[in-house]
C-alpha cells in the first residue's frame, strides 16, 4: 500500500508546462463530499452538508466565524472524523482513510513551518524515500515556483509572513498532491500582501491544475479567487454557486446580506403577478418562481449601487420619494442614507442606502434634508419570503 | 477552536455514528506506546500504593505448632502447644488432660473449650481442632475485633493443617483482613469494636460532608451577598453538636494516647511553616518583581539554593547555630555573651525553621510567576481612579495572585507535612508522622503499622493535591487577555525596605545552607574554639575523608551521582516521550486521559510513601488485586535491591513536575505540526526526532537538571530502598547523624550541595550553548 502510494505521489506533475487539458473544461467531479454531519458534544458544527469540486477547480468555503468551514476542511482532509456522511476522491471512497492515505497537501492558517529546519528542508520534508539529489531538485523547483529560490537556506523565522505563507504552499505542493487544501491562508497577513498573494496562489493553482479547496471568512478573497463558492452558516449549506451567481442571485437573505451590502424592504404586500404594494407605492417586481402567493407578505431586497436617483420631472415606474439623511464619503463611492417618504411627503420610517458611483453627491448637490426621487429597477429587485431572518 | 479536545476535561460524549478511520501500523505503534506508558505508571504508582493499603488493612497471624515426639511423650507430661493470634494453648497429660490457655488452667466442656474468639477441641487426649477469630488482648479483656476464622486441625494422616492447607514444620503465617484496626490502634482507640467503627465512620463522613457544605455556603455568601445566611448558621450548629459528641466519644474510648500526637505535631509544623514560608516568599517575590532594588538576579539565585540540599542539612546547620553547643546558643563560645540566645531548638522550633527554608524555594517560584503574569493595565486603572497603595494592594495585587498564593500554600503544606530529613535531625522527642513511618519500618520492622502511618500521611497530602488541582483548573479559566507586564517605578523608601527584607532572608538562607559547611571544616566542634589549648588545630579537611564513620563514604557519594545521572537520562526520555504521546496524539482519548491522570498522581505522593510502597510491592512474590480474592505472580521482584529500582523510585517521585514541564513545552509547538507531517505521509517518529525533540531540547535539559538535582538531594524514598551494597550519600547523612558523626554528615551534605550547584551550572551552560547554536531559528 505504502509503495503504491509513493509511486502515485512521484507521478510526474507539471510545473512549467501547462496542463494537458484546461481545468475549466474538465467537468469530471474530482472531490465529492456527501451529507456530512459533525457534532462536538451538543454543538452541531456541520449539518448535512454536501459539496463537490471538479478536477482543477478552485472552490472556496466562505462563512462567518464559527460556521463550521474549518471543520469542513478538516473532514475533507481526514483530520477530523465526521459523525455521518462520506468523502469521495477521484471516484474512490476515502471516508475511512486517514489523512496519510488521501494524497493531499494542506496549508494551515499558522503555516506550521518547522522552525528548526531550513526553507529547503521544510519544502523537502514530504519527499522522503527519494534520492537526496532528486529531493533537492524538486524542492528548489517548488521554491522557484513560489519565487523564493534565493531564500532556500534561511530559517522560517527569518522570513516575512508572506514569504512563510509561500513556503508553506511550496511544502504542501512538493509531494505532488492531487488535492490542495488551504485553511485561511491569507488571514495572518496585512492587506497589501494579501492582495498580491491572492493572485500568486491562483496563478500557481492554475499552472499546476490542482483541485483546490480554500477556507476563508473574507468574501472578497472568496469572490476574486474561486471558481465556485460554498457559503456556510451555522453548519448549514446556504448556497454553492459561482461568485457572480452569489452576488446577483443570492438564494436566501443570509447570502444576500453576507455578500456585499443589501437594502432589505420588509413588510411589502404582493398584488397581482408582478407588483408589490409598499407604503402606498406600487412597485413592479419580477419574483417569478419564489412561490409567493398573491396578497401575501414579501421582503424585497436591492443593492445600494442598483438604486438610481431619478429625475423629478419624469414619472418613471418604481420611483419612490426619499429625503437625504446623510452622505458618507467612501472613496470610490458616496453612500447616501435615505429616509423613505410617502407620496404625500411624510416620513414612513424606512431607511435605504444608495451608492453613487457615476456622479458624486456633490455633482447632484445632495445635502442633508434634501428631497429626491429614487428608482428601484425591477430587474434588480430581489424578493424573498417574509419572516426569514427578520432580525437582519 | 472547538475541534481540539481538552484532555483535562474528562467529559466523554458518546457518539453513535462517528466514522472511524482505518488504523495504520503507525497508529498501532502509538497505541502500544501509550499503553506502555500507562502500564509503567500503573506498576510504578498504583500497584505499589494498593499494596500499602493492603498491608495497612491486613495482618499476618502466626501459627506455631509444637508437638512432642514419641520419646518425649514418655519423658514428661507435655502433650503439645499451639500459639496463634496471641493465644498460647498448652496441653499437659493428667487425669483428665489439663488444658492451659495463656498459662491459666481452664476447664473443658465435653472436650471443648470456648472463650472469646478461641475454640479448642480435644480428642483422645490430644488437640483435634483449634479455631480463632480474634486476637488475644490484655488479660480479662475481650478483643472486639474479629477476623475470618482461622482453623488449625489435625489431618487424618497425622500432619497439621492450617486453613485446610498443610502447615509447615515451624511457623505458619496466615493473612487476615483486619479492617481499620491498625488505624484505631495508632490513635489509641482500643475499645472500639466493629459496630462502633461503623458508627464512627458514618459520623466522620457526615462531618466531612457538613464541613464541605459549610465551606460552600461561606463561599457562596462571599460571592453572592443575597444568599441565605440561615443555612450557614444551621450548618455551624450541627457541626458544633457533632464536635461535642466527638470529644465525648474520644474521651470515653481513648485508652492511651497512642501515637496520635504525631498527627497533630505534623499538622502543626506544616501549618505554621507554610504560613510563614508563604508570607516570607511573597514579600521576597514582591521585592523582586515590584520594586527597583538592585541585585535581583543574585536574590533569585540565593532563593533557589535550598533546592540543592537534602533537608537534613538545615537541621545540621540549625544544630550548629542554635543547638546545645551552637554558635548563637553559646554566644560565640562566650566571646559575645550578650548574644547568647537559646531558642529551645530541639522540637517544634527547629523543625519549623528547617521546613520554612525547605518550602521557601517552591513557594517563591510559584509566587514570582504569579506576580509576573499580573496585568499592569489593572494598576494603571487603579492609579487613574485614585486608589491608594494599600487599596491597590488589596483590590488588585492580592486578587490577581490568589491562585498562585493558594498553590504555594498547598505545595508548601505538602512538603512540610511529609518531610523526613529535618525532623529526623532536630526533632528530638518531637515525633512527626514521617519519622514515625521510618521508625516503624526501619526501627521496629512493623511493616503493617508503617503502612498504616503512610496512609495517614497520605490523607492530608491527597486532599491538598485535589484542592490544588481544582484551584489550578479555575486559574486556567480566568487567564484570558494577554496582559501587559508590570514595570515598577523607583520609590526610595519602598525599594530600601524590600532590599533590607530580601537581604535578611537571603542571609538566613545562606547561613542555614552554609553553616554546616563551615562547621564541617572545624576539627572538634566546639572544643577547637572553647579549649584551643587542647585542640590546637582549628580548621581541617579530615571530615571529608569519611574514615572511621559509617554510611559508605565516597562509595555512597559516587553511587548517588551515578543514580542521579541514570535518573536524569531515563527520567527525561520516559517523561518526554510520555508527555509527547499524551499531548500530540489524536483520538485514543480514553487511553490519553488515563495516562494524563496517572502522570499527575505522583505529585500527591510523599517520597516516604513511595519508598514503603516499593518495599512491599517489589518484595512480594505475588501481588493482590483490589477487591478480588486471587493474587497474581509478581514479575518485577528481580528489581528489588538494585540500582534500577532506586532510579525508578526517583523518576516516579519527581515525575509530575517534569511531566508538566514537558507538556507546557509541547503545547507551545504549533498544533498542526503533526497534521502537516501526516498529510505528507511522514511517520510520526520522524517528525518527533527531527522537529519536536530539537525544538524542545531546552525544556528537556531543564527536566534532566531537575531530575539530577532532586535525586542527589532526596532521602525519603531511597532510605527504604538502598541496600548495603548500594549505599547512597543522602542516606549516609542520616546514618552518620544517627551515629553522632555530625561533622562528616555535614561534610557529606556539602558535597551534595556542591555537586548540585556544579551540575546546575553545567546544565545552564549547555542550554546556553544550544541556544547560541540555534539562535538562527529561534525567534529573537
Amino acid at each position: 500500500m505504502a509503495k503504491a502510494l509513493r509511486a502515485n505521489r512521484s507521478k510526474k506533475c507539471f510545473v512549467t508546462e501547462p496542463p494537458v487539458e484546461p481545468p475549466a473544461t474538465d467537468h469530471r467531479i474530482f472531490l465529492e463530499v456527501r451529507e456530512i454531519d459533525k457534532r462536538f458534544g451538543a454543538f452541531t458544527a456541520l449539518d448535512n452538508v454536501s459539496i463537490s469540486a471538479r478536477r482543477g477547480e478552485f472552490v472556496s468555503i466562505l462563512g462567518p466565524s464559527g460556521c463550521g468551514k474549518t471543520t469542513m476542511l478538516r473532514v475533507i482532509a481526514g483530520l477530523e472524523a465526521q459523525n455521518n456522511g462520506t468523502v469521495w476522491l477521484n471516484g474512490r471512497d476515502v471516508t475511512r482513510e486517514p489523512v496519510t492515505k488521501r494524497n493531499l497537501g494542506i496549508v494551515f492558517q499558522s503555516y506550521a513551518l518547522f522552525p528548526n529546519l531550513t526553507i529547503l528542508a521544510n519544502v523537502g520534508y514530504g519527499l522522503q524515500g527519494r534520492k537526496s539529489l532528486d529531493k533537492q531538485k524538486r524542492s528548489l523547483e517548488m521554491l522557484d515556483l513560489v519565487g523564493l529560490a534565493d531564500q532556500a537556506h534561511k530559517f522560517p523565522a527569518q522570513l516575512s509572513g508572506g514569504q512563510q505563507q509561500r513556503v508553506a504552499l511550496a511544502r504542501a505542493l512538493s509531494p505532488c498532491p492531487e488535492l490542495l487544501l488551504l485553511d485561511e491562508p491569507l488571514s495572518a497577513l496585512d492587506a497589501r500582501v494579501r492582495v498580491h498573494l491572492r493572485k500568486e496562489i491562483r496563478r500557481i493553482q492554475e499552472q499546476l491544475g490542482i483541485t483546490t479547496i480554500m477556507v476563508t471568512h473574507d468574501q472578497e478573497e472568496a469572490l476574486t479567487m474561486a471558481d465556485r463558492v460554498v457559503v456556510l452558516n451555522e453548519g448549514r449549506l446556504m448556497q454553492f454557486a459561482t461568485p457572480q451567481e452569489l452576488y446577483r442571485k443570492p438564494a436566501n437573505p443570509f447570502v444576500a446580506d453576507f455578500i456585499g451590502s443589501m437594502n432589505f424592504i420588509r413588510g411589502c404586500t404582493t398584488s397581482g403577478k408582478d407588483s408589490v404594494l409598499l407604503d402606498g407605492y406600487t412597485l413592479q417586481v419580477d419574483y417569478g418562481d419564489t412561490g409567493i402567493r398573491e396578497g401575501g407578505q414579501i421582503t424585497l431586497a436591492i443593492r445600494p449601487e442598483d438604486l438610481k436617483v431619478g429625475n423629478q420631472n419624469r414619472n418613471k415606474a418604481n420611483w419612490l420619494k426619499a429625503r437625504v439623511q446623510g452622505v458618507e464619503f467612501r472613496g470610490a463611492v458616496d453612500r447616501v442614507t435615505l429616509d423613505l417618504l410617502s407620496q404625500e411627503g411624510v416620513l414612513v420610517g424606512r431607511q435605504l442606502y444608495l451608492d453613487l458611483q457615476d456622479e458624486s453627491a456633490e455633482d447632484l448637490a445632495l445635502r442633508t434634508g434634501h428631497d429626491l426621487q429614487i428608482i428601484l429597477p425591477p430587474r434588480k429587485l430581489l424578493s424573498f419570503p417574509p419572516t426569514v431572518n427578520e432580525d437582519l | 477552536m472547538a475541534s481540539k479536545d481538552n484532555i483535562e476535561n474528562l467529559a466523554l460524549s458518546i457518539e453513535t455514528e462517528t466514522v472511524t478511520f482505518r488504523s495504520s501500523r503507525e497508529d498501532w505503534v502509538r497505541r502500544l506506546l501509550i499503553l506502555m506508558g500507562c502500564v509503567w505508571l500503573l506498576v510504578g504508582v498504583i500497584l505499589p500504593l494498593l499494596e500499602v493499603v493492603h498491608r495497612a488493612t491486613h495482618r499476618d497471624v502466626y501459627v506455631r505448632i509444637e508437638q512432642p515426639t514419641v520419646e518425649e511423650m514418655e519423658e514428661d507430661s507435655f502433650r503439645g502447644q499451639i500459639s496463634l493470634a496471641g493465644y498460647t494453648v498448652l496441653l499437659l497429660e493428667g487425669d483428665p488432660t489439663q488444658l492451659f490457655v495463656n498459662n491459666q488452667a481452664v476447664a473443658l466442656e465435653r472436650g471443648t473449650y470456648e472463650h472469646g474468639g478461641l475454640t479448642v477441641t480435644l480428642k483422645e487426649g490430644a488437640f483435634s481442632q483449634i479455631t480463632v477469630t480474634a486476637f488475644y488482648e490484655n488479660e480479662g479483656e475481650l478483643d472486639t475485633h474479629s477476623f475470618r476464622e482461622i482453623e488449625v486441625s489435625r489431618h487424618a494422616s497425622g500432619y497439621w493443617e492450617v486453613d485446610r492447607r498443610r502447615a509447615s514444620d515451624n511457623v505458619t503465617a496466615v493473612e487476615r483482613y483486619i479492617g481499620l484496626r491498625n488505624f484505631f490502634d495508632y490513635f489509641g482507640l482500643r475499645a472500639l469494636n466493629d459496630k462502633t467503627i461503623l458508627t464512627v465512620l458514618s459520623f466522620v463522613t457526615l462531618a466531612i460532608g457538613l464541613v464541605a457544605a459549610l465551606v460552600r455556603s461561606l463561599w457562596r455568601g462571599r460571592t453572592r451577598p443575597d444568599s441565605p445566611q440561615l443555612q450557614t448558621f444551621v450548618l455551624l450548629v450541627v457541626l458544633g453538636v457533632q464536635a461535642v459528641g466527638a470529644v465525648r466519644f474520644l474521651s470515653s474510648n481513648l485508652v492511651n494516647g497512642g501515637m496520635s500526637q504525631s498527627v497533630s505535631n505534623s499538622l502543626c509544623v506544616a501549618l505554621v511553616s507554610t504560613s510563614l514560608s508563604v508570607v516570607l516568599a511573597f514579600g521576597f517575590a514582591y521585592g523582586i518583581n515590584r520594586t527597583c532594588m538592585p541585585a535581583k538576579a543574585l536574590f533569585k539565585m540565593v532563593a533557589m539554593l535550598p533546592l540543592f540540599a537534602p533537608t537534613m542539612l538545615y537541621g545540621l546547620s540549625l544544630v550548629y547555630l542554635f543547638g546545645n553547643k551552637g554558635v548563637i546558643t553559646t554566644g560565640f563560645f562566650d566571646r559575645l555573651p550578650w548574644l547568647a540566645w537559646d531558642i529551645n531548638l530541639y522540637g517544634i522550633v527547629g523543625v519549623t525553621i528547617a521546613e520554612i527554608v525547605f518550602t521557601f524555594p517552591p513557594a517563591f517560584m510559584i509566587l514570582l510567576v504569579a506576580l509576573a503574569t499580573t496585568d499592569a493595565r489593572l494598576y494603571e486603572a487603579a492609579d487613574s481612579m485614585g486608589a491608594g497603595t494599600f487599596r491597590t494592594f488589596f483590590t488588585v495585587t492580592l486578587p490577581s495572585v490568589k491562585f498562585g498564593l493558594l498553590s504555594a500554600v498547598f505545595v508548601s503544606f505538602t512538603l512540610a507535612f511529609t518531610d523526613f530529613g529535618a525532623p529526623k535531625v532536630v526533632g528530638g522527642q518531637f515525633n512527626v508522622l514521617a519519622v514515625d513511618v521510618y521508625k516503624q519500618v526501619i526501627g521496629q520492622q512493623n511493616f503493617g503499622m508503617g503502612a498504616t502511618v503512610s496512609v495517614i500521611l497520605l490523607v492530608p497530602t491527597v486532599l491538598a493535591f485535589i484542592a490544588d488541582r481544582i484551584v489550578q483548573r479555575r486559574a486556567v479559566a480566568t487567564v484570558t487577555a494577554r496582559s501587559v507586564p508590570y514595570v515598577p517605578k523607583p520609590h526610595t523608601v519602598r525599594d530600601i525596605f524590600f532590599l533590607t527584607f530580601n537581604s535578611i532572608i537571603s542571609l538566613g538562607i545562606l547561613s542555614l545552607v552554609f553553616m554546616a559547611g563551615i562547621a564541617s571544616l572545624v576539627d572538634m566542634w566546639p572544643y577547637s574554639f572553647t579549649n584551643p589549648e587542647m585542640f590546637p588545630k582549628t580548621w581541617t579537611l579530615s571530615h571529608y575523608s569519611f574514615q572511621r564513620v559509617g554510611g559508605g563514604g565516597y562509595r555512597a557519594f559516587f553511587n548517588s551521582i551515578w543514580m542521579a545521572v541514570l535518573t536524569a537520562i531515563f527520567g527525561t526520555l520516559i517523561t518526554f516521550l510520555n508527555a509527547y504521546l499524551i499531548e500530540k496524539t489524536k483520538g485514543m482519548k480514553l487511553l490519553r486521559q488515563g495516562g494524563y491522570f496517572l502522570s499527575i498522581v505522583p505529585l500527591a505522593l510523599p517520597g516516604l510513601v513511595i519508598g514503603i510502597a516499593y518495599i512491599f510491592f517489589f518484595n512480594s512474590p505475588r501481588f493482590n488485586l483490589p477487591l478480588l480474592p486471587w493474587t497474581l505472580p509478581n514479575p518485577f521482584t528481580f528489581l528489588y535491591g538494585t540500582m534500577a529500582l532506586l532510579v525508578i523510585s526517583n523518576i516516579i517521585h519527581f515525575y509530575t513536575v517534569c511531566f508538566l514541564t514537558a507538556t507546557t513545552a509541547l503545547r507551545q509547538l504549533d498544533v498542526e505540526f503533526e497534521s502537516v507531517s501526516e498529510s505528507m505521509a511522514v511517520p510520526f517518529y520522524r517528525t518527533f526526532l527531527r522537529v519536536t525533540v530539537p525544538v524542545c531540547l531546552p525544556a528537556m535539559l531543564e527536566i534532566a537538571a531537575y531530575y539530577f538535582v532532586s535525586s542527589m538531594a532526596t532521602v525519603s524514598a531511597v532510605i527504604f530502598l538502598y541496600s548495603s551494597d548500594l549505599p547512597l550519600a543522602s542516606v549516609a547523612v542520616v546514618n552518620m547523624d544517627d551515629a553522632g558523626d555530625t561533622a562528616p554528615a555535614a561534610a557529606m551534605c556539602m558535597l551534595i550541595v556542591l555537586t548540585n550547584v556544579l551540575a546546575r551550572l553545567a546544565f545552564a551552560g549547555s542550554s546556553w550553548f544550544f541556544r547560541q547554536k540555534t539562535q538562527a531559528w529561534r525567534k529573537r
Side-chain angles (χ1 to χ4, degrees), chain A residues 112-123:
Chain A
L113 294 177
F114 303 125
N116 61 326
L117 302 180
T118 60
I119 302 305
L120 195 67
N122 259 294
V123 174

Side-chain angles (χ1 to χ4, degrees), chain B residues 4 16 24 77 85 107 177 225 262 282 297 307 358 387 414 420-421 457 520 523 566 570 706 733 744 777:
Chain B
K4 260 201 337 211
T16 42
S24 61
S77 55
Y177 176 70
S262 310
F282 183 81
L307 286 179
F358 176 46
T414 307
F420 157 76
L457 188 69
S520 72
D523 188 38
L566 288 176
F570 288 104
Y706 181 80
V733 174
W777 54 265

Side-chain angles (χ1 to χ4, degrees), chain B residues 72-90:
Chain B
E72 282 169 339
M73 270 166 73
E74 280 169 10
E75 273 171 30
D76 57 21
S77 55
F78 178 66
R79 286 297 168 266
Q81 176 175 322
I82 293 181
S83 325
L84 76 170
Y87 288 102
T88 313
V89 186
L90 174 69

Side-chain angles (χ1 to χ4, degrees), chain A residues 271-325:
Chain A
S271 89
K273 278 211 164 179
D274 51 2
S275 56
V276 160
L277 293 175
L278 164 71
D279 298 330
Y281 296 101
T282 306
L283 298 177
Q284 285 200 345
V285 182
D286 179 21
Y287 54 76
D289 53 353
T290 43
I292 296 158
R293 268 182 283 139
E294 194 183 326
Q297 293 280 301
I298 189 173
T299 297
L300 294 179
I302 187 164
R303 298 212 176 268
E305 70 267 24
D306 290 337
L307 283 174
K308 293 277 175 277
V309 177
N311 195 322
Q312 287 255 333
N313 305 323
R314 283 171 55 192
N315 250 351
K316 260 192 176 177
N318 281 9
W319 63 267
L320 301 171
K321 272 190 192 169
R323 182 170 291 158
V324 178
Q325 201 209 33

Side-chain angles (χ1 to χ4, degrees), chain A residues 117-225:
Chain A
L117 302 180
T118 60
I119 302 305
L120 195 67
N122 259 294
V123 174
Y125 197 81
L127 303 171
Q128 50 166 347
R130 295 198 191 180
K131 280 185 207 146
S132 67
L133 212 71
D134 251 21
K135 201 162 142 181
Q136 190 165 355
K137 192 169 155 245
R138 173 73 184 162
S139 308
L140 280 171
E141 204 175 59
M142 289 329 287
L143 279 176
D144 206 36
L145 181 73
V146 299
L148 286 172
D150 52 334
Q151 312 281 333
H153 294 287
K154 286 190 178 171
F155 287 102
Q158 294 166 316
L159 299 188
S160 70
Q163 288 172 322
Q164 288 184 20
Q165 208 279 329
R166 281 184 283 165
V167 174
L169 185 64
R171 181 179 65 180
L173 290 171
S174 68
C176 286
E178 290 181 294
L179 179 65
L180 178 63
L181 302 176
L182 309 170
D183 185 7
E184 305 249 6
L186 305 173
S187 65
L189 303 171
D190 55 57
R192 213 171 253 280
V193 182
R194 218 183 292 178
V195 173
H196 170 69
L197 272 180
R198 268 186 215 160
K199 286 192 196 132
E200 271 297 291
I201 292 175
R202 187 67 218 227
R203 173 185 67 79
I204 293 163
Q205 187 265 337
E206 278 178 347
Q207 199 173 341
L208 297 175
I210 183 168
T211 317
T212 304
I213 312 289
M214 178 180 78
V215 160
T216 181
H217 65 270
D218 181 345
Q219 47 160 304
E220 201 178 312
E221 215 166 279
L223 298 184
T224 52
M225 292 171 79

Side-chain angles (χ1 to χ4, degrees), chain A residues 9 74 78 80-84 95-97 99-100 102 104 108 110 112-113 115-117 125 128 155 171, chain B residues 3 15 17-22 670 672-673 675-676 678-679 681-683 686-687 690-691 694 776-777 779:
Chain A
R9 274 174 187 274
R74 294 179 75 88
E80 204 77 68
Q82 66 270 34
N83 294 80
N84 236 332
T95 308
R96 291 199 59 220
E97 301 289 354
V99 55
T100 316
R102 296 194 184 187
L104 36 82
F108 289 99
S110 61
L113 294 177
N116 61 326
L117 302 180
Y125 197 81
Q128 50 166 347
F155 287 102
R171 181 179 65 180
Chain B
S3 62
E15 302 288 355
E17 291 178 284
T18 304
V19 169
T20 46
F21 293 128
R22 268 186 208 105
D670 197 308
E672 309 291 9
F673 279 171
S675 309
V676 165
E678 247 185 286
S679 76
V682 176
R686 219 178 91 126
T687 309
R690 270 196 79 184
V691 180
W777 54 265
K779 275 173 214 161

Side-chain angles (χ1 to χ4, degrees), chain B residues 377-388 391-392 395-396:
Chain B
R377 289 171 298 180
L378 291 174
Y379 288 89
E380 282 158 17
D383 225 17
S384 70
M385 288 187 279
R391 191 144 176 242
T392 310
T395 54
V396 179

Side-chain angles (χ1 to χ4, degrees), chain B residues 230-295:
Chain B
L230 188 68
Q231 191 192 349
T232 316
F233 181 72
V234 169
L235 279 170
L236 264 177
V237 170
V238 175
L239 266 176
V241 171
Q242 270 225 325
V244 171
V247 168
R248 203 179 289 159
F249 176 82
L250 282 176
S251 53
S252 65
N253 278 293
L254 218 61
V255 173
N256 58 26
M259 291 175 276
S260 56
Q261 188 62 37
S262 310
V263 179
S264 55
N265 283 352
S266 280
L267 277 174
C268 186
V269 165
L271 290 175
V272 173
S273 57
T274 297
S275 39
L276 285 174
S277 152
V278 169
V279 167
L280 293 179
F282 183 81
F284 201 85
Y286 191 89
I288 287 181
N289 190 260
R290 298 294 166 87
T291 71
C292 293
M293 65 180 188

